[in-house]
Amino acid sequence: MKELLIVGAGKIGRGVIGSLFFEAGYHLYIYGFRAERMRRLKEQGSYLVERSGEEGSERILIDNFDALDSSDSSDLIAHMKRVDLIACCVYDNVFEHICQSLKEAIIYRADHDAEPFNVLLCVNALGAPDYFETKLTEMLAGNEKATAYLKEKTGICQVLVEMPGVPAPKELLEEDPFAVSVGSTGHIEIDEDAFIGELPKVRLVNGVKRGKARVYQKVYCGNMRHCMLAFLGKARGYTYICDTYGDEWLENSVLHAFYEADAAVQAEYQFDEKDHQLFLKFTEDALKSQQIKDPIQRVAADPKTKLSRSNRFVGPALLCIKHHIVPFYLAKGIAYGFLYREESDAASVEITDYVKENGIEKAIEKYCGLGEEDWALKQLIIAQYEEACKFPVK
């Protein structure tokens, strides 16, 4: 029987990854970090995934799964010891916790001469495979057998999730509190350079070369574009990302920021031009076909992370400067990130309050991590922020 252990029971794990592998005949084991919610999911015994796109929507009833006991890590570790395919769909704040569990599983698997297994990192955190490899190497130091198993029989694979998962609409949640809404377009790409064995035969799941580099392309170009739509869309008074489509000022600004980021990423990583053109076409097609109601509040959430030095705005802007490209529109995206305020989002309240009390330059230094050597980008952001304040776009 084909099996998949999903760590992280959110929209990507339970919805996007779970539904695709379920349809391919996999039995799912789902581990979430909220024990009571996992208990209720186990009692319910099924959940709905609604896929939406230009051609309408369809519902999939997921019922071939086990919800694991997440009151501690024992059930998770037990399944890591025997399931050969694991999908981690989590944020980086739990990476170390997962590595602790993987350490125990690897020691067991090494001692029992188990078959190779693969860990799919379905995350947007840059450098995630390197973090897992380094952390696990440190944790297993002194255990030669387990260290050899890690190097030779453990695939730590970057995965690019190019399908959206969004909060389900109210009427669907009233029918099923565990329902998930996902997009019907896109695909999942697994770093085949790191994967051990034959890739899973799952619809819309493909292999890709240079996955560790391609995640920068995804985050710096695709995720940046999505988030900039949210930051500027909030300033325009929109509620959903799809509401921003057709706004000429907004789309022009975001498209130019995308071109800046793409030029910088291409200069840095030099992807094959054929693959590069396919990426550009996919990104454009995906945006045009995206009709599900993805809330701006969700996409812009936690601007502290999104505005940080290595993340989706400042990261490509610094890469632009490295390659002598002026990040004019990326600086605009950062400026509107500092203007974004949602009272239910503590990070946005903290940032906007800090700007009010200390000024935009101090805020850039604090939240973007820019120093004196980054004076050019700082000045660009300040200029864009002052213009946005002087000429509001509503």
Side-chain angles (χ1 to χ4, degrees):
M1 179 176 61
K2 297 181 291 186
E3 299 177 314
L4 174 68
L5 169 58
I6 299 174
V7 183
K11 294 176 287 295
I12 297 300
R14 199 172 76 253
V16 175
I17 301 297
S19 63
L20 290 176
F21 279 80
F22 168 79
E23 289 180 313
Y26 280 74
H27 182 83
L28 309 178
Y29 298 98
I30 303 175
Y31 179 90
F33 292 89
R34 295 162 61 187
E36 177 58 24
R37 184 166 171 80
M38 285 297 95
R39 186 190 64 78
R40 295 201 306 271
L41 176 60
K42 183 175 183 177
E43 289 179 352
Q44 182 167 300
S46 65
Y47 65 92
L48 289 169
V49 174
E50 184 175 73
R51 288 206 190 108
S52 301
E54 286 186 313
E55 298 181 356
S57 63
E58 63 170 339
R59 289 186 177 184
I60 304 108
L61 180 68
I62 310 294
D63 57 5
N64 186 21
F65 73 91
D66 288 308
L68 303 189
D69 177 4
S70 57
S71 57
D72 58 29
S73 299
S74 58
D75 204 10
L76 174 62
I77 294 170
H79 283 78
M80 284 181 169
K81 288 177 178 178
R82 65 169 198 79
V83 177
D84 295 335
L85 188 61
I86 301 170
C88 294
C89 311
V90 297
Y91 293 108
D92 55 5
N93 63 329
V94 296
F95 280 6
E96 185 170 359
H97 172 78
I98 294 171
C99 284
Q100 289 285 353
S101 298
L102 282 170
K103 180 195 78 169
E104 300 299 326
I106 289 171
I107 291 172
Y108 176 89
R109 295 176 75 99
D111 287 341
H112 290 77
D113 196 25
E115 292 296 313
F117 79 143
N118 288 281
V119 180
L120 308 181
L121 300 179
C122 309
V123 300
N124 284 331
L126 300 171
D130 292 334
Y131 174 90
F132 273 72
E133 290 163 7
T134 300
K135 180 63 70 173
L136 287 168
T137 299
E138 293 172 354
M139 290 177 171
L140 296 169
N143 187 326
E144 293 184 6
K145 195 171 184 179
T147 297
Y149 186 93
L150 171 65
K151 291 181 179 179
E152 300 166 11
K153 301 177 76 172
T154 305
I156 307 292
C157 313
Q158 180 68 62
V159 176
L160 309 180
V161 180
E162 302 286 4
M163 297 181 72
V166 302
K170 181 180 178 181
E171 57 272 17
L172 182 58
L173 289 174
E174 289 175 349
E175 183 177 343
D176 176 4
F178 291 96
V180 183
S181 290
V182 302
S184 61
T185 59
H187 52 260
I188 310 298
E189 295 180 325
I190 300 173
D191 184 359
E192 60 186 43
D193 296 326
F195 195 89
I196 298 175
E198 186 179 354
L199 287 170
K201 293 181 180 179
V202 176
R203 186 178 69 90
L204 301 179
V205 175
N206 310 305
V208 65
K209 296 288 188 182
R210 300 180 64 197
K212 287 184 179 181
R214 289 188 182 277
V215 73
Y216 286 86
Q217 187 182 52
K218 177 182 186 295
V219 173
Y220 283 179
C221 300
N223 290 96
M224 178 281 299
R225 184 174 185 171
H226 200 209
C227 188
M228 190 166 170
L229 283 172
F231 284 162
L232 271 63
K234 172 71 171 180
R236 285 289 229 193
Y238 298 124
T239 302
Y240 299 101
I241 292 295
C242 59
D243 296 339
T244 69
Y245 302 162
D247 185 315
E248 186 175 350
W249 169 83
L250 190 152
E251 290 191 339
N252 181 69
S253 298
V254 174
L255 185 61
H256 279 82
F258 176 85
Y259 287 150
E260 291 169 359
D262 176 67
V265 168
Q266 187 64 8
E268 180 74 8
Y269 295 104
Q270 299 180 0
F271 295 110
D272 175 85
E273 188 54 32
K274 181 180 178 181
D275 289 341
H276 178 225
Q277 290 301 320
L278 287 173
F279 167 75
L280 294 178
K281 184 178 186 306
F282 166 76
T283 303
E284 189 62 29
D285 290 347
L287 189 64
K288 288 179 179 178
S289 64
Q290 183 58 270
Q291 298 299 320
I292 57 175
K293 288 194 170 184
D294 199 354
I296 281 174
Q297 183 178 340
R298 184 197 75 84
V299 178
D302 188 18
K304 281 176 68 173
T305 297
K306 293 177 170 70
L307 294 173
S308 61
R309 184 177 177 93
S310 63
N311 216 281
R312 61 201 69 192
F313 287 98
V314 181
L318 290 171
L319 208 55
C320 280
I321 290 173
K322 175 182 176 180
H323 292 286
H324 312 293
I325 301 164
V326 178
F328 179 87
Y329 287 94
L330 283 167
K332 176 179 281 192
I334 296 168
Y336 276 89
F338 279 106
L339 287 167
Y340 175 79
R341 184 181 179 100
E342 173 62 50
E343 296 301 329
S344 62
D345 187 325
S348 73
V349 172
E350 177 189 322
I351 290 173
T352 49
D353 285 350
Y354 188 90
V355 173
K356 184 176 181 180
E357 295 170 8
N358 300 278
I360 185 62
E361 184 171 2
K362 291 288 187 183
I364 291 168
E365 293 170 355
K366 177 179 174 66
Y367 295 105
C368 299
L370 299 181
E372 291 183 6
E373 70 279 9
D374 305 309
W375 61 270
L377 180 55
K378 285 172 64 177
Q379 290 305 311
L380 271 173
I381 299 169
I382 291 169
Q384 291 282 18
Y385 183 87
E386 291 176 346
E387 180 179 352
C389 291
K390 188 174 181 180
F391 303 106
V393 297
K394 284 188 178 181

